[in-house]
Amino acid sequence: MTVVDTLIHARWIIPVEPEAITLEHHSLVIDAGRIIDLLPTDDAKQKYQGISTEHLDNQALLPGLINSHTHAAMTLMRGIADDLQLMDWLTNHIWPLEQKWMSEAFVRDGTELAIAEMIRGGTTCFNDMYFFPDITAKQAIQHGIRASVGLIVIDFPTVWAENSDAYIEKGLALYEQLQHQPLISATFAPHAPYTVSDAPLQKIRVLSDELDRPVHIHVHETLHEVEQAEQQNGKRPLQRLSDLGLVGPSLIAVHATQLTDTEIALLAKAGAHIVHCPESNLKLASGFCQVAKCLAAGINVALGTDGAASNNDLDMFGEMRTAALLGKAVAGDASAIPAMTALRMATINGAKALGLDHEIGSLSVGKAADVIAIDLDHLETLPLYCPVSQIVYAASRQQVTDVWVAGKRLLNRRQLTTVNLEELSVKIRQWQQRLSA
Amino acid sequence: MTVVDTLIHARWIIPVEPEAITLEHHSLVIDAGRIIDLLPTDDAKQKYQGISTEHLDNQALLPGLINSHTHAAMTLMRGIADDLQLMDWLTNHIWPLEQKWMSEAFVRDGTELAIAEMIRGGTTCFNDMYFFPDITAKQAIQHGIRASVGLIVIDFPTVWAENSDAYIEKGLALYEQLQHQPLISATFAPHAPYTVSDAPLQKIRVLSDELDRPVHIHVHETLHEVEQAEQQNGKRPLQRLSDLGLVGPSLIAVHATQLTDTEIALLAKAGAHIVHCPESNLKLASGFCQVAKCLAAGINVALGTDGAASNNDLDMFGEMRTAALLGKAVAGDASAIPAMTALRMATINGAKALGLDHEIGSLSVGKAADVIAIDLDHLETLPLYCPVSQIVYAASRQQVTDVWVAGKRLLNRRQLTTVNLEELSVKIRQWQQRLSA
């Protein structure tokens, strides 16, 4: 008998890789934060003894979900301004509020709320873009969730930095500080083609190559963005990024609702990644991402919620479902984006986009133990013909019972282990009063 | 002090009519199954004494949600065949299973599962269309939920009836039986233009006029349906229904994803109703209903889940959210289908479509006490700037704590009072084994 940290006996295990396999009555063996074995429960009981042993008789184990595009702290603005045109929403509501309230405290508390919501909903890693990324990283470390932190760059001054050079400098300093944090990685995060000029984008390309870091950027979110760029620069934003050398395997292109066939071919050939944010795209009426077409072309498409101010949640179960449903309708093909594809978008595809697929995205021996358990013994998921179908099309995030990141348990039978919910709730209500004043 | 059956003191009350009002610290007064008063809690405490008194300090009270299109018993086939083309799904999966298993027992147990799921998710009335509507009515009565039962008519023989005359006769007999059931109403339910020929449709029109009953029918669900009808009849299905005299205030046209501007004007002028089923339309890639356009034309648009075999749930909170999000994207206007409009579609608009708006659809004095309470003190709905926004865009049906239909409590702090969950679960697992054999 080998003694290990954690032994989880589960009714089902859906490792995601290899694809389309659902194991029954198997066990996951975790030691020193990593998955060291995955085998039938009968064998596991012979071979391993867990310091902690879990019997999850009604649950399916999945790799933790990866939310590939967030603005975590914006959760403080959930529902503060809905049902508005994008530019009205941004210029008359979101930006003035950010202008007035943006601070370390805002990012600290907003990110803590986001992290609590994400852990409770089965998300174990998020790819963020916001001001004060140092605070975002600090909160992720404190609460034990994995994060890919965006080193934000934008042309105009904010309380975080006064110009694009300063943004890049602060980003690099933070990158240095975070080097030895096992749960934190970094991306360069120029906000969007229309808010970052050529010079900083060129700098970022060089740094991205040197440091082998992804470039996380909003691209072709709306038709308006594309048309305006054509007027100003005489070319579409993706063409401009391509001319600047940014369209390559490091590119994480978020939204991409406006893509010509040529642009789909360009992204595919370059090995670039798309992050699809279906609920945000719907809510802001931004347009429809051609997900089935992009996947067929060979593009790696991951999934994100975007900020809770335009979603209005950080629910990756809901997002998988919307991606699968909407993807069929947009393709005009009910067999497009099957449940398993949606689950891959929310796990291994996200890991690939973030350059973390050696570490996370599937329940594979050797990878970090980022694992979630979902209870399928609810009347809402009965009868049960296929666990993956129920998980994508019928289950809700409230059925997530347990969450581990790098082997550490962050959710224990629905209880958060690293967040004080009562204290958090008091802080959030204070922000609610301030922001609605 | 007046003694009443039930007094509910709530943090918020959203009566739906009048529109756009959210009352704070108000109380709902229920006696003999009806709402007899709605007033500030301070006043209610002076004026009324409840035999049962509830303090719902974190909840919003809403009118019970109305699911305006279901095939309740099909919940037994939830997830049995996903990600398939509509015709493949129907002809190779759903219809053969129905052929083999359709029976009173199938409808009894499938409908019980649906009712349990609906009550737990805040739905207090459903508009059904399926075989053995007598059993559906029986189950609704037994479990205390309100139902509008479809007197199904279809040209081909099934275990329920051998031809359209027999369907109509059995329907009329059932209609007679149900006359004095306070929670049950009936509609004529010819399945679809492509499955019911002119003669039975003519009969149904006459009966619908005589008995003042709605006609509940799938119409223009897919482009294929419209094209095929044009080939066969030389006209589009809505034109055929119009020529048969069926397009009037009694028409409940389900799906309507294929509408020309002329058809929208026709439906509006006729006072006909549309039931929008966004998730089913997405999942089957049926097309996009132009909801904003239909509402702007003055058509009453209600909301339905369709059967759980093509959704895969009976979650009206999810459906409201999808309707609001998708409606914006389809209109290309982020201000289309605001949260309150989605809530109206799921309440008062449904009541109007079913001809029940004198009884249900809003928390109005004199109407039946079909009431639900949703707890907004969850981190997923914090901060709380606007209860209606949180209910439509962020809350989930798991936050529903209590449900009353005609003053009778069917859900008590998340516990179903009229369903034995353990026994139901055993029955459903038996069906699961049979259907997957």
Side-chain angles (χ1 to χ4, degrees):
Chain A
M1 295 285 270
T2 308
V3 176
V4 296
D5 288 341
T6 307
L7 191 54
I8 312 174
H9 306 306
R11 178 67 183 83
W12 299 277
I13 297 184
I14 299 162
V16 172
E17 291 212 309
E19 190 171 348
I21 283 180
T22 297
L23 304 166
E24 298 199 49
H25 301 294
H26 270 60
S27 301
L28 199 74
V29 188
I30 300 174
D31 201 56
R34 302 209 159 259
I35 298 166
I36 65 160
D37 209 345
L38 172 55
L39 71 173
T41 294
D42 286 347
D43 299 344
K45 285 179 173 170
Q46 302 295 320
K47 202 167 161 190
Y48 297 103
Q49 193 184 332
I51 293 168
S52 157
T53 301
E54 296 298 321
H55 294 268
L56 303 181
D57 296 335
N58 299 312
Q59 277 103 321
L61 294 187
L62 301 171
L65 304 182
I66 299 171
N67 190 340
S68 293
H69 182 62
T70 59
H71 308 288
M74 291 182 82
T75 310
L76 287 185
M77 295 186 283
R78 186 205 314 274
I80 205 168
D82 292 307
D83 306 319
L84 299 168
Q85 308 281 358
L86 176 63
M87 278 300 136
D88 180 9
W89 177 72
L90 280 175
T91 57
N92 298 323
H93 298 270
I94 299 302
W95 290 344
L97 282 167
E98 288 185 338
Q99 180 86 17
K100 186 164 176 194
W101 291 108
M102 183 56 54
S103 65
E104 290 196 10
F106 181 99
V107 174
R108 183 192 64 215
D109 296 341
T111 302
E112 186 179 1
L113 175 61
I115 287 172
E117 181 181 350
M118 287 192 281
I119 294 171
R120 209 149 88 149
T123 294
T124 56
C125 177
F126 66 107
N127 181 38
D128 204 60
M129 178 196 286
Y130 210 58
F131 307 103
F132 297 102
D134 54 332
I135 305 295
T136 308
K138 213 176 196 171
Q139 285 291 36
I141 293 163
Q142 185 181 331
H143 298 296
I145 194 170
R146 196 178 297 274
S148 167
V149 171
L151 310 174
I152 193 168
V153 179
I154 199 162
D155 279 350
F156 51 79
T158 61
V159 60
W160 170 243
E162 69 263 25
N163 58 44
S164 53
D165 282 341
Y167 280 96
I168 291 174
E169 256 170 60
K170 288 190 88 162
L172 287 173
L174 177 59
Y175 173 74
E176 285 303 319
Q177 274 172 45
L178 296 173
Q179 281 290 358
H180 303 291
Q181 288 297 341
L183 296 182
I184 311 295
S185 58
T187 68
F188 289 99
H191 171 265
Y194 61 93
T195 51
V196 186
S197 46
D198 285 0
L201 285 175
Q202 276 159 338
K203 265 197 198 172
I204 287 168
R205 188 191 59 74
V206 173
L207 289 165
S208 156
D209 285 352
E210 273 180 24
L211 303 173
D212 190 23
R213 290 290 82 216
V215 178
H216 176 200
I217 182 168
H218 299 98
V219 183
H220 288 209
E221 181 169 1
T222 65
L223 181 61
H224 175 77
E225 171 198 338
V226 174
E227 287 177 345
Q228 208 169 38
E230 280 178 322
Q231 280 178 10
Q232 285 178 2
N233 312 313
K235 52 186 156 187
R236 292 163 65 90
L238 257 181
Q239 186 59 50
R240 182 169 148 243
L241 293 184
S242 178
D243 293 348
L244 290 166
L246 277 160
V247 178
S250 295
L251 180 67
I252 305 173
V254 180
H255 298 309
T257 71
Q258 315 290 324
L259 292 181
T260 63
D261 287 353
T262 313
E263 287 165 342
I264 291 174
L266 169 73
L267 291 170
K269 198 177 164 201
H273 312 270
I274 287 176
V275 179
H276 177 41
C277 302
E279 295 190 0
S280 174
N281 295 160
L282 291 173
K283 186 153 189 282
L284 296 171
S286 302
F288 298 100
C289 180
Q290 306 283 331
V291 176
K293 227 174 178 180
C294 291
L295 287 170
I299 300 174
N300 178 57
V301 183
L303 201 58
T305 58
D306 207 346
S310 65
N311 185 305
N312 294 350
D313 63 36
L314 304 173
D315 176 5
M316 286 294 289
F317 283 91
E319 213 69 32
M320 277 198 280
R321 186 161 193 239
T322 303
L325 296 182
L326 185 64
K328 296 174 202 307
V330 168
D333 175 1
S335 70
I337 324 290
M340 191 65 210
T341 299
L343 180 56
R344 290 179 66 83
M345 289 168 68
T347 54
I348 190 67
N349 293 12
K352 284 179 189 163
L354 308 185
L356 293 173
D357 50 317
H358 59 290
E359 271 295 277
I360 57 172
S362 63
L363 299 181
S364 307
V365 171
K367 285 197 184 182
D370 289 16
V371 186
I372 66 174
I374 181 162
D375 184 351
L376 297 178
D377 187 28
H378 284 229
L379 72 89
E380 288 80 3
T381 41
L382 283 180
L384 185 73
Y385 301 104
C386 165
V388 174
S389 164
Q390 296 299 57
I391 288 165
V392 172
Y393 292 123
S396 74
R397 58 176 167 172
Q398 279 83 1
Q399 291 174 239
V400 172
T401 56
D402 298 273
V403 171
W404 291 262
V405 171
K408 183 177 172 187
R409 197 170 193 168
L410 304 185
L411 191 74
N412 185 339
R413 312 273 155 152
R414 294 293 297 153
Q415 297 305 307
L416 291 162
T417 65
T418 59
V419 178
N420 183 323
L421 260 190
E422 279 183 35
E423 284 177 20
L424 175 62
S425 178
V426 170
K427 284 183 277 187
I428 300 309
R429 286 178 207 280
Q430 286 168 350
W431 281 108
Q432 177 183 319
Q433 292 200 325
R434 282 180 210 128
L435 268 71
S436 51
Chain B
M1 293 285 270
T2 308
V3 176
V4 296
D5 288 343
T6 306
L7 190 53
I8 312 174
H9 306 306
R11 178 67 182 86
W12 298 276
I13 297 185
I14 299 162
V16 171
E17 293 213 307
E19 190 171 349
I21 282 180
T22 298
L23 304 166
E24 298 198 50
H25 302 295
H26 270 59
S27 300
L28 198 74
V29 188
I30 300 174
D31 201 54
R34 302 208 159 260
I35 298 166
I36 64 159
D37 209 347
L38 173 55
L39 70 175
T41 294
D42 287 346
D43 299 345
K45 285 181 175 171
Q46 301 294 320
K47 202 168 164 192
Y48 296 103
Q49 193 183 333
I51 294 168
S52 158
T53 301
E54 295 298 320
H55 294 268
L56 303 182
D57 298 334
N58 299 313
Q59 277 102 322
L61 293 187
L62 301 171
L65 304 182
I66 299 172
N67 190 340
S68 292
H69 182 62
T70 60
H71 308 288
M74 291 182 82
T75 310
L76 286 184
M77 295 186 283
R78 186 205 313 275
I80 206 168
D82 292 307
D83 306 320
L84 299 168
Q85 307 281 358
L86 176 62
M87 280 299 135
D88 180 11
W89 178 71
L90 280 176
T91 57
N92 299 323
H93 299 271
I94 299 302
W95 289 343
L97 282 167
E98 288 184 339
Q99 180 85 18
K100 185 161 177 197
W101 292 108
M102 182 56 53
S103 65
E104 290 197 9
F106 181 98
V107 174
R108 183 192 64 215
D109 296 342
T111 302
E112 187 179 1
L113 175 61
I115 288 172
E117 180 181 351
M118 287 192 280
I119 294 172
R120 208 149 87 148
T123 294
T124 56
C125 177
F126 65 107
N127 182 38
D128 203 61
M129 178 196 286
Y130 209 58
F131 307 105
F132 297 101
D134 54 333
I135 304 296
T136 307
K138 213 176 197 173
Q139 285 290 38
I141 293 164
Q142 185 181 330
H143 298 297
I145 194 170
R146 196 178 295 276
S148 167
V149 171
L151 309 174
I152 192 166
V153 179
I154 199 161
D155 281 349
F156 52 80
T158 61
V159 61
W160 170 243
E162 69 263 25
N163 58 44
S164 53
D165 282 340
Y167 281 95
I168 291 174
E169 257 170 60
K170 289 191 85 161
L172 287 174
L174 177 58
Y175 174 73
E176 285 303 320
Q177 275 172 44
L178 296 173
Q179 281 290 359
H180 303 292
Q181 289 295 341
L183 296 182
I184 310 295
S185 58
T187 68
F188 290 99
H191 172 264
Y194 61 93
T195 50
V196 187
S197 45
D198 285 0
L201 286 174
Q202 277 158 338
K203 265 198 200 172
I204 287 168
R205 189 190 59 76
V206 173
L207 289 165
S208 156
D209 285 353
E210 273 180 24
L211 303 173
D212 191 24
R213 289 290 83 218
V215 178
H216 175 200
I217 183 168
H218 300 98
V219 183
H220 287 210
E221 181 169 2
T222 64
L223 181 61
H224 175 76
E225 170 198 339
V226 175
E227 288 177 344
Q228 210 168 35
E230 280 177 323
Q231 281 179 10
Q232 286 179 2
N233 312 313
K235 51 186 157 188
R236 292 162 65 90
L238 258 180
Q239 186 59 50
R240 181 169 150 242
L241 293 184
S242 179
D243 294 348
L244 290 165
L246 278 160
V247 178
S250 295
L251 181 66
I252 305 173
V254 180
H255 297 309
T257 72
Q258 315 290 323
L259 293 181
T260 63
D261 287 352
T262 313
E263 288 164 341
I264 291 174
L266 170 73
L267 292 170
K269 199 178 162 202
H273 312 269
I274 287 175
V275 179
H276 177 42
C277 301
E279 295 189 0
S280 173
N281 295 161
L282 291 173
K283 187 155 188 280
L284 297 171
S286 303
F288 298 100
C289 180
Q290 305 283 331
V291 177
K293 229 175 177 179
C294 292
L295 287 170
I299 300 173
N300 178 55
V301 183
L303 201 58
T305 57
D306 207 346
S310 66
N311 186 304
N312 291 350
D313 61 38
L314 303 173
D315 176 6
M316 286 294 288
F317 284 91
E319 213 69 33
M320 278 198 279
R321 186 163 193 236
T322 302
L325 296 182
L326 185 65
K328 297 172 202 307
V330 168
D333 175 1
S335 70
I337 325 289
M340 191 65 211
T341 299
L343 180 58
R344 289 179 68 83
M345 290 168 67
T347 54
I348 190 65
N349 293 12
K352 285 179 189 163
L354 308 185
L356 294 173
D357 48 320
H358 58 291
E359 272 296 276
I360 57 171
S362 62
L363 299 181
S364 307
V365 171
K367 285 197 183 182
D370 289 16
V371 186
I372 65 174
I374 180 161
D375 185 350
L376 296 177
D377 188 29
H378 284 228
L379 73 88
E380 288 81 3
T381 40
L382 284 180
L384 185 73
Y385 300 105
C386 165
V388 175
S389 164
Q390 295 299 57
I391 287 165
V392 172
Y393 292 123
S396 75
R397 58 176 166 173
Q398 279 83 1
Q399 291 174 237
V400 172
T401 57
D402 298 274
V403 172
W404 291 263
V405 171
K408 183 177 173 188
R409 196 169 192 169
L410 305 185
L411 191 73
N412 185 339
R413 311 274 153 152
R414 294 291 300 151
Q415 297 306 308
L416 291 162
T417 64
T418 59
V419 178
N420 183 324
L421 261 189
E422 278 182 34
E423 283 177 22
L424 175 61
S425 177
V426 170
K427 285 183 276 186
I428 300 309
R429 285 178 207 282
Q430 286 168 350
W431 281 108
Q432 177 183 321
Q433 291 197 327
R434 283 181 210 129
L435 268 72
S436 50

